[in-house]
Amino acid sequence: MDYRMEKDSLGEVRVPAGRLWGAQTQRSLENFPIGEEKMPKEIISALALIKKVCARVNCSMGVLEEERRDLIVRVCNSIIAGNFEGEFPLSVWQTGSGTQTNMNLNEVIANSGNMLAGEKLLHPNDHVNRSQSSNDVFPTALHLAFARVIREKLEPALGEMMKTLERLELENEGIVTIGRTHLQDAVPLAFSQEIGGWKSMVKRSLKAVRQAAEGLCDLAIGGTAVGTGLNCPKGFGEAVAKELAEETGIPFRSSPNKFRALSARDDVAFAHGALKTLAADLLKIANDIRWLASGPRCGLGEITIPANEPGSSIMPGKVNPTQCEALSMVALQVMGNDTAVGFAASQGNFQLNVYLPLLAYNCLQSANLLADAVFSFTARCLAGLQANREVMAEHLNRSLMLVTALSPKIGYDKAAEIAKTAHEKGTTLREEALKSGYLTAEEFDDLTDPQKMI
């Protein structure tokens, strides 16, 4: 392999000749051969957008020449378009401030811009990183990337799930099924009511995610190294935030307290906490559906879900609730990520949190996994859900918990006596109720009408 020599403040470094990065990126590659996890593409895109906007603002404030601005903007647009694959190879497990990834962007932008110009016009620190520090740029990129994935991927996925649940709720009106508490028979409810419960959970989780993500709109940019804004023109942070809002359609704003913005990751922890809450709701829904679809002959079998693929390598004809299982695994991964996010967010020692790459990786993984899993589950499972009316009716008619409707008429103890006797003898509630003499046939039939009980 051919190499070229690059230099930084520590001296010379050999860099592969065909690569656009420089000495600091190469040192990170050599010093952190840890794991397979690379910096998420959403962070790279967010950093490129920040560099682009910073160049424009720097130029408007008279601290960067137009020619240099134009080069930076041109290269950043190309990075955002995905044209620099392979130039951002750094591990998540690097410096906790994300400095090396920030410098990776600075070096690639500078070297690419200089190639376009045919001369050395851009310096990674002096021009691309002008008025910035990794300490305010990386938290800004984290907020920007996390907010965009939530807004652009997760919210639409949950919206589609809501629409599907609304359709199912309407389609299943009039179907009465048996309720279950403690995994034991309970009183009846409408199947549409059960679906409505799922819909309400998704609706409230979506609302919580939107509300929690609002804190991500506060940006650290303009705080530079420790929050004082050293080497940064007055009003820089406000101007950059305004342009980022215009670029993304998300109401980003300059954080009113840059010391908090650099050292505290409470907004990130709060937003991810909403994802954990969503994950808990999705896990409940997925488990309900796979329980109700269990069988097809020896389980509950009250609903059917699409058969997407063979379920067993040894049992012919077996079909499994695979979309439920995938969504469940994603939910558990998000819950695990939330534990790491909580610990990482607590480590804002003095003026800087140094767990930023981990936060970025976990938050973006959670949001992307939830979005993808919700879309897949909705399209490949929920959309094809159908009620098995005959099985629901059979379970409803066999349930002993219809006896609950008799309590106001004959009292709890007498109703319990009827249910216990029917269970022990394997008879019906109606038989034992009439034998007891506590009720007439007409009274029993009127009181235990399932349609009246829902």
Side-chain angles (χ1 to χ4, degrees):
M1 180 183 292
D2 293 333
Y3 293 91
R4 70 178 192 275
M5 299 305 297
E6 289 278 347
K7 183 187 289 188
D8 61 13
S9 60
L10 294 182
E12 291 188 333
V13 182
R14 288 201 317 169
V15 176
R19 291 303 184 183
L20 291 169
W21 63 70
Q24 292 197 45
T25 304
Q26 188 63 34
R27 289 189 193 279
S28 182
L29 269 176
E30 294 171 4
N31 288 330
F32 298 97
I34 303 172
E36 299 295 326
E37 296 82 7
K38 304 303 180 186
M39 197 61 68
K41 66 181 185 299
E42 294 90 351
I43 290 291
I44 302 303
S45 181
L47 285 167
L49 179 56
I50 292 165
K51 300 294 175 184
K52 168 185 168 180
V53 169
C54 285
R56 292 200 305 231
V57 173
N58 275 323
C59 184
S60 70
M61 292 185 167
V63 295
L64 186 71
E65 298 79 8
E66 290 185 3
E67 186 178 13
R68 290 190 167 100
R69 174 202 64 192
D70 292 344
L71 281 174
I72 293 171
V73 169
R74 181 177 173 185
V75 176
C76 287
N77 282 335
S78 189
I79 292 171
I80 293 167
N83 295 329
F84 282 76
E85 187 176 355
E87 296 296 337
F88 308 105
L90 298 188
S91 172
V92 168
W93 317 112
Q94 53 165 282
T95 176
S97 60
T99 297
Q100 289 149 0
T101 289
N102 181 43
M103 282 307 304
N104 184 193
L105 268 289
N106 291 336
E107 290 176 342
V108 169
I109 293 167
N111 286 334
S112 180
N114 291 336
M115 289 175 63
L116 290 171
E119 58 179 313
K120 197 167 184 178
L121 285 177
L122 297 179
H123 186 280
N125 300 80
D126 296 338
H127 304 122
V128 184
N129 203 59
R130 188 65 181 260
S131 307
Q132 306 155 58
S133 164
S134 300
N135 296 354
D136 65 346
V137 165
F138 201 94
T140 299
L142 168 55
H143 279 219
L144 176 61
F146 195 16
R148 291 191 75 175
V149 173
I150 289 172
R151 172 75 67 90
E152 296 168 11
K153 284 191 67 177
L154 183 55
E155 289 184 13
L158 293 172
E160 284 300 309
M161 179 176 268
M162 284 278 295
K163 290 178 186 176
T164 301
L165 288 169
E166 286 170 357
R167 173 179 63 78
L168 289 171
E169 187 178 21
L170 290 172
E171 289 177 357
N172 288 281
E173 283 185 351
I175 301 175
V176 182
T177 186
I178 193 66
R180 295 177 177 89
T181 58
H182 302 270
L183 296 182
Q184 304 296 305
D185 301 345
V187 295
L189 77 162
F191 186 44
S192 60
Q193 291 173 328
E194 189 165 17
I195 296 169
W198 300 337
K199 184 186 74 172
S200 181
M201 292 166 66
V202 175
K203 183 178 181 179
R204 290 176 69 88
S205 284
L206 175 56
K207 182 180 179 181
V209 168
R210 284 174 172 159
Q211 290 175 335
E214 199 273 338
L216 298 174
C217 293
D218 281 341
L219 302 182
I221 196 72
T224 64
V226 296
T228 61
L230 182 67
N231 293 350
C232 176
K234 186 176 181 180
F236 180 81
E238 289 76 10
V240 171
K242 182 180 178 183
E243 287 208 27
L244 288 173
E246 292 170 355
E247 288 273 352
T248 62
I250 298 174
F252 291 113
R253 55 190 174 262
S254 178
S255 177
N257 190 305
K258 297 298 190 297
F259 304 102
R260 170 184 171 273
L262 267 64
S263 62
R265 298 272 64 85
D266 43 6
D267 289 327
V268 172
F270 188 55
H272 195 279
L275 300 191
K276 180 186 70 173
T277 301
L278 168 63
D281 280 346
L282 293 174
L283 183 58
K284 182 263 192 294
I285 294 168
N287 279 333
D288 280 357
I289 288 174
R290 62 174 163 180
W291 273 104
L292 291 172
S294 62
R297 294 189 177 181
C298 300
L300 295 181
E302 292 189 358
I303 63 172
T304 58
I305 54 178
N308 296 320
E309 63 274 316
S312 174
S313 60
I314 190 173
M315 292 176 279
K318 194 171 191 297
V319 178
N320 296 328
T322 52
Q323 291 294 320
C324 296
E325 292 163 4
L327 183 59
S328 298
M329 288 191 287
V330 165
L332 296 184
Q333 182 66 44
V334 172
M335 291 176 186
N337 283 352
D338 193 68
T339 300
V341 167
F343 277 116
S346 73
Q347 300 301 302
N349 298 325
F350 301 112
Q351 278 69 59
L352 185 66
N353 180 291
V354 289
Y355 289 74
L356 294 171
L358 179 150
L359 286 165
Y361 186 83
N362 280 16
C363 289
L364 292 169
Q365 184 192 60
S366 291
N368 279 311
L369 282 176
L370 284 169
D372 291 345
V374 168
F375 265 127
S376 184
F377 180 78
T378 300
R380 298 176 177 87
C381 179
L382 206 56
L385 184 153
Q386 292 183 324
N388 189 332
R389 293 170 180 252
E390 293 77 14
V391 173
M392 285 185 178
E394 180 186 354
H395 289 167
L396 179 64
N397 292 330
R398 289 172 54 201
S399 172
L400 297 174
M401 288 303 102
L402 296 179
V403 77
T404 305
L406 305 182
S407 292
K409 178 75 175 178
I410 64 175
Y412 184 94
D413 291 339
K414 290 178 179 177
E417 177 190 328
I418 292 170
K420 183 179 179 181
T421 303
H423 180 58
E424 289 175 349
K425 293 183 175 180
T427 54
T428 67
L429 285 176
R430 194 174 192 278
E431 288 178 74
E432 297 306 324
L434 297 185
K435 284 181 185 178
S436 73
Y438 300 142
L439 294 156
T440 66
E442 292 76 14
E443 288 174 323
F444 179 88
D445 292 341
D446 181 61
L447 289 170
T448 59
D449 180 354
Q451 289 290 345
K452 293 181 179 180
M453 297 174 71
I454 63 172

